[in-house]
Amino acid sequence: MRLDKISHKRLHITILMLVNVVMLILVVVSGRFLSDQSSLQIGRVSIPGHSLTGILQSLLFVGCILVTLISYEIGTRLSVVLILFVCVLDIFGILQSHSLAPLPGLFNALLNLVLILIISKQFRVVEQESLTDYVTGLYNMRGLLETLDQRIGTHVPFTLLYFRIDNFRMINDNLGHDMGTKLLREISVQLLEMTRGYGTVCKTGGSEFALVLDSDFNIDNFRREMKERFGGKVALDDSEYPVYCYPRVYAGTVRYPEDALDSATLIKYADMALYHAMKAHNNALISFDEEMASEIIKQNEMESVVKECLAGDYFYLMYQPQYDMHDKKLRGFETLLRTLLPDGRSVSPADFIPVAEKTNLIIQIDTYVLHRALTEMVDYIKDYDQEVILSVNVSANSIGRDDFADKVINVINETGFPASRLELEITEYSFAESENMTIQNIEKLRKLGVKIALDDFGTGYTSLSQLVKLPINLLKIDKSLVDDIETSEMSRDFVNAVIYMGHLMECDVISEGVESQMQVDLLKEQNCDYVQGFVWDRPLYYEAAVAMLKRGKDD
Ligand code: C2E
Ligand code: MG
Ligand code: MG
């Protein structure tokens, strides 16, 4: 698309340049060979020779202005040369003919020259502004793309480095917007110092920078300096008592042409390397490698499987029972998505959900699961003589959208599913991604009686002070915390503390991934309310889950 635009522009410039050159030749020819007395007869109209030269000159000037408007860089240069040529011709004409007849043409040419220089300057200013980030004065995303295109055009090797401040939002929220801006400026200054003229520094997002570095730039030095400069506190002003903050920064690099050949792929790979750095450790700088390349291939495969499943409806749902820890009464079911492609292939949600979450496919999946689960289960859940709950997993991308609550309400109305029997399982990331919208959606749904469970608790980074504010009904302790409680006293204490805290928040607590009776006994001792795990039931096929509900009703 971009290339199409560029080649169209080039074609237009070339055509206009040719027209202008032809026009100049005509101006020369008409000035040289048409005398004042001669004229050109077109039908009944007779054009005097000097008027024809004037008309051709004017057309040439219009052509010059047009080519400058299309491309001020090449256009200005060409136009200046052509107009100066006309000026020389006019001066030559004056000297040769000892007449001032060409003088108006000369003034006209000079006027157009000035006009073209003004247009060109204005374009340069606007162009510069559209490429610049207004906070730091660095190139913005567009500037980066132009820089990459230019570099790729010269085929000279370079490195693209993506750099991100992970906790920028927190710094901005805690210290204020002004301090956030100061931090961005400070970091841009430091990055410019660190690159020492070996490349271009751009600010491509809210807290993200991209550096296009010459191939002989020493990345290891950059890594070391990153630690030195950002490993501790960073002063936000140079007053006697400066304000400090502790930014968490990460970087990922990719090389042209070894790793990728076009700007879109380079950016994608640099982002991927950055993502790996963010998972590694504070101040990590990680380079794109073979393993990441094969991860991308796997991700692409996953993406096409998800698309295939959505198009062909190769999804089905399983339902894993949840039980009361103490009397083993059925609490409800968690809905779990499964795939079965016509060729017998099946992929795990643990593999395809994270990929779908990187695209908008997850929105379609979540809507699909919600609709299908509520439709499949409505009659049996309603008919069951005790309150059983149907849990549906919802990803952060879905619950952070402004239409999410309305979508759920529509599905509830369409299927007639009792709102108070529906539970949505979300993770801490939902609050990290788009906190306000998520809370608004949750509040709207809770008013109808919908329950909210916090899934995978213990794997995220929510602080206790943030956690107590979250509007949830159920805390789901992640399997990774439960796994070691039989052998590790620390794990036991930790799970104990989580259960205690959940109760303080007036939430019920469920442990997931419970596999042994000993784990059940330990969790019971610690006052955990519910259990979900292979120890009592694996995820059940729809028919088995329905049979369980029917059996329960008949008991
Ligand atoms: P999750 O929501 O934490 O689901 C629990 C996972 O633990 C399920 O894996 C379940 O089969 C597994 N599990 C339950 N008990 C045990 C146990 O005792 N031992 C072991 N080893 N595993 C146990 P599953 O079905 O593979 O799902 C993996 C993840 O995929 C889910 O984690 C959830 O994050 C996501 N997922 C599954 N279905 C959906 C869905 O419909 N929508 C969305 N957005 N995500 C889904
Ligand atoms: Mg879940
Ligand atoms: Mg979970």
Side-chain angles (χ1 to χ4, degrees), residues 32 86-103 106:
R32 184 94 183 81
V86 172
C87 292
V88 172
L89 273 184
D90 286 337
I91 294 170
F92 189 69
I94 293 170
L95 295 177
Q96 203 188 34
S97 63
H98 300 291
S99 137
L100 290 180
L103 201 58
L106 180 62

Side-chain angles (χ1 to χ4, degrees), residues 334 393 425 455 476 512:
E334 175 176 7
N393 289 288
E425 285 194 14
D455 202 358
K476 291 194 82 173
E512 60 178 342

Side-chain angles (χ1 to χ4, degrees), residues 457-498:
F457 184 72
T459 57
Y461 299 97
T462 311
S463 70
L464 286 184
S465 60
Q466 279 170 307
L467 184 74
V468 289
K469 286 192 239 150
L470 300 182
I472 53 169
N473 306 86
L474 181 78
L475 199 63
K476 291 194 82 173
I477 304 180
D478 192 65
K479 179 176 184 303
S480 58
L481 292 188
V482 178
D483 275 346
D484 296 335
I485 55 168
E486 287 168 79
T487 50
S488 151
E489 197 178 331
M490 207 166 88
S491 277
R492 266 200 301 279
D493 289 346
F494 192 69
V495 169
N496 198 8
V498 172

Side-chain angles (χ1 to χ4, degrees), residues 517-536:
Q517 187 55 44
M518 191 169 167
Q519 287 174 339
V520 174
D521 294 339
L522 287 167
L523 290 162
K524 205 188 276 183
E525 263 174 38
Q526 296 180 339
N527 242 350
C528 184
D529 304 292
Y530 299 103
V531 68
Q532 173 184 347
F534 292 177
V535 64
W536 283 347

Side-chain angles (χ1 to χ4, degrees), residues 229-443:
R229 291 177 188 244
F230 308 114
K233 57 186 180 182
V234 170
L236 295 177
D237 51 55
D238 46 16
S239 64
E240 201 180 338
Y241 302 104
V243 176
Y244 289 106
C245 71
Y246 293 82
R248 279 201 311 259
V249 301
Y250 303 91
T253 65
V254 62
R255 291 159 313 158
Y256 169 86
E258 291 92 330
D259 299 323
L261 293 171
D262 62 280
S263 50
T265 317
L266 282 162
I267 290 175
K268 188 170 155 189
Y269 287 4
D271 204 38
M272 182 143 195
L274 177 68
Y275 177 72
H276 277 259
M278 289 169 76
K279 284 198 297 187
H281 57 84
N282 201 6
N283 286 307
L285 183 155
I286 289 189
S287 301
F288 185 80
D289 59 20
E290 285 295 309
E291 220 172 280
M292 290 182 214
S294 55
E295 204 178 302
I296 285 184
I297 293 170
K298 201 176 152 210
Q299 277 190 13
N300 290 343
E301 277 170 17
M302 278 299 147
E303 203 177 316
S304 55
V305 166
V306 171
K307 284 183 180 157
E308 209 179 324
C309 288
L310 278 167
D313 197 5
Y314 303 136
F315 284 126
Y316 66 96
L317 302 180
M318 291 194 85
Y319 297 92
Q320 188 176 26
Q322 300 173 334
Y323 292 101
D324 189 303
M325 178 67 96
H326 304 281
D327 57 13
K328 217 177 164 183
K329 214 172 78 180
L330 183 69
R331 172 186 189 262
F333 295 92
E334 175 176 7
T335 311
L336 295 164
L337 188 57
R338 296 286 178 266
T339 55
L340 183 60
L341 287 117
D343 58 6
R345 264 181 312 151
S346 157
V347 284
S348 156
D351 291 329
F352 71 76
I353 292 285
V355 174
E357 278 173 343
K358 290 196 182 131
T359 66
N360 267 347
L361 290 171
I362 193 66
I363 314 287
Q364 286 182 58
I365 292 181
D366 282 351
T367 314
Y368 171 91
V369 173
L370 193 71
H371 199 276
R372 181 154 175 183
L374 269 53
T375 310
E376 283 188 351
M377 285 302 210
V378 57
D379 293 338
Y380 308 102
I381 296 265
K382 264 206 271 195
D383 281 0
Y384 198 71
D385 45 9
Q386 284 148 41
E387 183 165 306
V388 274
I389 285 164
L390 186 67
S391 270
V392 177
N393 289 288
V394 171
S395 85
N397 316 38
S398 296
I399 198 153
R401 285 169 73 104
D402 52 5
D403 61 350
F404 178 76
D406 294 332
K407 250 188 186 170
V408 177
I409 294 169
N410 277 346
V411 180
I412 288 175
N413 292 338
E414 238 177 79
T415 55
F417 196 91
S420 62
R421 304 283 177 92
L422 175 64
E423 182 173 79
L424 301 177
E425 285 194 14
I426 60 173
T427 62
E428 294 161 53
Y429 298 107
S430 309
F431 299 98
E433 293 282 309
S434 47
E435 190 179 356
N436 291 343
M437 208 59 243
T438 299
I439 290 184
Q440 271 181 43
N441 279 325
I442 289 179
E443 258 146 25

Side-chain angles (χ1 to χ4, degrees), residues 20-21 24 60 64 77-86:
N20 285 349
V21 171
L24 180 71
L60 172 66
C64 286
R77 258 177 265 155
L78 178 89
S79 302
V80 167
V81 171
L82 293 183
I83 294 177
L84 283 179
F85 196 84
V86 172

